[in-house]
């Protein structure tokens, strides 16, 4: 499938229009499932809308954001992109708003946290495509060997369970803490939320060095890292993919995981348990949610046709088909309710329950990319033996505030 790099000219109607569409490849095994999904969906759409054609180009996640950026820079923006971020395009006035594209029933069907994350200055530009939450995963076999009978519901219980794992099993990582540069911003956010705060304050401004956040990382450093419960690799050098691989080898007692790890663990015959990430004294403020985005570009003037296609994309059947085949969560209320009732997806039940109250990273800020990178590169230092959480968080926060003020 190829993409035409320019549209067929502006059109206010719905005849003789070709929409260019760049989408990400979700098939981690290198197969054709994403290509087949979009081929089937666009064929069905074109059959119902004979005046509109969809040219689809599937790109790997390693390349798709960069390639769309190159197209936009060359004044050859696609009509639709399904990628990881929308904020820069929204801020530069290149995107249609959600209410310019979608019918009212479709727009009102998105889950609340995903709508909030798709907004820039209270206007929605990013349309959530698929979503996920994070839970605490644990190895049931190792828990049994360590004599642990329940699941941790507080930080203190988590520490006690990690100590039992260290003392009574040969586990390599009682609690794997991946604060390496691959995905440290996500692991950090899970802990900040479980400590009662997060990256931003209630009005949406960065508050990375809040008292609660400092206290959270001090607890992690003192109770997990300094007690040698996080394994032989320093958290600042442990990447998520390596932690996940170690979990599938049976070397990890506990870690924060997402749905795709379930399938890998099952293939490796790991008996996996999952529970909401414990809070300081009980249930945390919220789970961390994440989403990938789909958006409509203004350049070719195909607002009506883009809207028709996106209304079709967000039909429950299409939403459920894609989420189900990729072990991800649907982004609409109706599809989420349908998945919860489906026995085939009972392994996603705990994730689905957390999503409606989850909190996503501040992806609507154009500064977030730089702030996220700063967290990735520096947060591991906060829990290092010579590290100081307050100093590290303050340095990251100062850079974040400067970037935010420049938006």
């Amino acid at each position: 499938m190829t993409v035409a790099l320019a549209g067929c000219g502006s059109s206010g109607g719905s005849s003789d229009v070709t929409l260019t569409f760049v989408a990400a490849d979700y098939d981690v095994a290198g197969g054709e499932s994403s290509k087949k999904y979009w081929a089937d969906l666009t064929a069905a759409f074109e059959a119902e809308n004979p005046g509109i054609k969809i040219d689809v180009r599937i790109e790997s996640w390693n390349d798709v954001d960069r390639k769309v950026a190159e197209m936009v820079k060359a004044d050859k923006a696609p009509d639709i992109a399904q990628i990881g971020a929308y904020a820069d395009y929204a801020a530069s006035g290149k995107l249609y708003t959600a209410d310019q594209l979608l019918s009212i029933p479709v727009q009102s069907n998105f889950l609340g946290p995903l709508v909030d994350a798709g907004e820039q200055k209270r206007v929605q530009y990013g349309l959530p495509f698929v979503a996920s939450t994070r839970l605490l995963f644990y190895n049931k076999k190792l828990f049994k060997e360590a004599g642990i009978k329940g699941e941790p519901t507080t930080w203190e219980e988590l520490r006690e369970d990690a100590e039992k794992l260290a003392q009574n099993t040969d586990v390599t990582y009682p609690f794997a803490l991946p604060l390496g540069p691959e995905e440290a911003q996500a692991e950090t956010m899970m802990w900040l939320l479980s400590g009662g705060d997060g990256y931003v304050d209630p009005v949406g401004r960065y508050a990375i060095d809040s008292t609660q956040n400092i206290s959270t990382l001090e607890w992690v450093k003192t109770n997990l890292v300094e007690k040698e419960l996080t394994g032989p690799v320093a958290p600042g050098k442990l990447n998520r993919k390596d932690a996940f691989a170690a979990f599938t080898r049976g070397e990890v007692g506990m870690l924060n995981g997402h749905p795709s790890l379930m399938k890998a663990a099952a293939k490796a015959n790991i008996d996996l348990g999952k529970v909401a990430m414990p809070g300081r004294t009980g249930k945390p403020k919220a789970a961390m949610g994440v989403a990938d985005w789909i958006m409509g570009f203004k350049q070719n003037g195909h607002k009506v046709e883009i809207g028709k296609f996106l209304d079709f994309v967000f039909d429950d059947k299409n939403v459920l088909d894609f989420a189900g085949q990729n072990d991800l969560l649907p982004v609409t209320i109706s599809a989420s309710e349908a998945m919860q009732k489906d026995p085939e997806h009972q392994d996603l039940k705990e994730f689905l329950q957390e999503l409606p109250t989850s909190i996503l990273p501040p992806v609507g800020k154009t500064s977030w990319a730089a702030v996220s990178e700063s967290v990735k590169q520096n947060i591991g230092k906060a829990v290092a033996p010579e590290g100081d959480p307050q100093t590290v968080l303050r340095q990251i926060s100062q850079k974040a505030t400067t970037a935010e003020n420049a938006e």
Side-chain angles (χ1 to χ4, degrees):
M1 288 177 288
T2 59
V3 62
L5 293 184
C8 297
S10 297
S11 172
S14 299
S15 60
D16 302 320
V17 168
T18 297
L19 298 180
T20 63
F21 177 30
V22 180
D25 186 357
Y26 284 75
D27 197 320
V28 296
E32 301 286 306
S33 64
S34 293
K35 291 181 180 180
K36 184 178 187 306
Y37 173 83
W38 287 116
D40 291 346
L41 184 146
T42 55
F45 173 79
E46 290 173 357
E48 292 185 15
N49 299 271
I52 308 174
K53 299 294 183 185
I54 313 293
D55 281 339
V56 184
R57 173 174 157 187
I58 308 294
E59 298 285 355
S60 77
W61 265 117
N62 293 333
D63 301 324
V64 66
D65 285 73
R66 173 179 58 81
K67 292 197 173 185
V68 170
E70 290 172 353
M71 293 170 71
V72 173
K73 187 176 181 180
D75 288 329
K76 295 179 179 179
D79 292 292
I80 306 163
Q82 187 274 299
I83 52 178
Y86 69 88
D88 285 345
Y89 301 125
S92 58
K94 297 184 184 299
L95 301 182
Y96 289 115
T97 61
D99 60 359
Q100 289 176 316
L101 296 175
L102 302 177
S103 64
I104 292 174
V106 171
Q107 187 182 0
S108 62
N109 197 26
F110 291 125
L111 289 160
L114 307 181
V115 173
D116 294 342
E119 291 182 345
Q120 190 172 90
K121 298 181 179 178
R122 301 185 181 275
V123 177
Q124 186 181 2
Y125 296 91
L127 312 179
F129 178 63
V130 285
S132 178
T133 51
R134 301 291 186 263
L135 296 173
L136 179 70
F137 286 18
Y138 62 93
N139 185 313
K140 289 184 178 181
K141 178 176 178 288
L142 291 173
F143 263 47
K144 186 176 180 180
E145 289 179 6
I148 302 169
K149 299 189 183 299
E151 300 168 329
T153 60
T154 67
W155 285 359
E156 184 64 18
E157 290 178 2
L158 186 150
R159 180 190 61 77
E160 291 173 354
D161 289 348
E163 289 179 337
K164 290 176 182 176
L165 286 163
Q167 293 165 2
N168 301 305
T169 73
D170 60 357
V171 65
T172 307
Y173 298 87
F175 186 96
L177 184 66
L179 294 178
E182 178 198 353
E183 197 72 10
Q185 86 289 355
E187 182 73 19
T188 300
M189 183 171 176
M190 284 181 262
W191 278 100
L192 299 186
L193 289 173
S194 71
D197 212 339
Y199 284 126
V200 297
D201 64 21
V203 296
R205 295 192 65 81
Y206 288 118
I208 296 171
D209 61 342
S210 70
T211 301
Q212 281 177 290
N213 288 344
I214 293 169
S215 175
T216 293
L217 290 192
E218 287 175 342
W219 187 94
V220 171
K221 182 175 187 288
T222 301
N223 291 275
L224 295 180
V225 182
E226 291 181 353
K227 291 183 181 294
E228 299 184 347
L229 299 175
T230 55
V233 180
K237 296 188 180 300
L238 181 64
N239 281 323
R240 184 184 65 175
K241 65 179 181 180
D242 298 321
F244 281 12
F247 188 85
T248 64
R249 295 193 299 268
E251 299 171 3
V252 175
M254 295 179 281
L255 53 60
N256 288 313
H258 58 59
S260 65
L261 180 56
M262 292 190 302
K263 186 178 291 186
K267 287 181 180 179
N269 295 314
I270 300 296
D271 191 5
L272 178 152
K274 50 189 184 298
V275 66
M277 174 68 177
R280 192 183 295 268
T281 57
K283 188 168 176 60
K285 175 180 178 179
M288 185 189 77
V290 294
D292 298 329
W293 305 95
I294 196 165
M295 61 211 71
F297 284 85
K298 292 179 178 179
Q299 181 174 327
N300 300 318
H302 295 151
K303 178 176 67 175
V304 173
E305 295 80 11
I306 294 170
K308 284 189 175 183
F309 179 65
L310 291 177
D311 271 355
F312 190 83
V313 166
F314 288 112
D315 177 81
D316 273 1
K317 178 185 182 303
N318 296 327
V319 171
L320 286 166
D321 282 351
F322 193 89
Q325 77 180 25
N326 291 284
D327 286 327
L328 293 166
L329 307 183
V331 296
T332 63
I333 297 168
S334 55
S336 183
E337 291 173 348
M339 183 176 274
Q340 288 195 55
K341 296 174 183 176
D342 187 346
E344 183 181 344
H345 296 297
Q346 284 306 295
D347 57 348
L348 292 172
K349 183 177 179 180
E350 293 92 342
F351 295 98
L352 289 162
Q353 290 171 340
E354 293 293 328
L355 185 59
T357 57
S358 65
I359 295 177
L360 279 74
V363 293
K365 293 177 175 290
T366 57
S367 59
W368 172 241
V371 174
S372 174
E373 188 62 26
S374 180
V375 174
K376 289 179 183 181
Q377 298 300 326
N378 295 292
I379 202 68
K381 301 171 187 174
V383 298
E386 70 284 0
D388 175 47
Q390 179 173 335
T391 299
V392 173
L393 287 177
R394 185 155 295 165
Q395 290 171 345
I396 295 172
S397 186
Q398 288 171 347
K399 293 178 181 177
T401 300
T402 299
E404 182 176 46
N405 291 337
E407 287 183 332

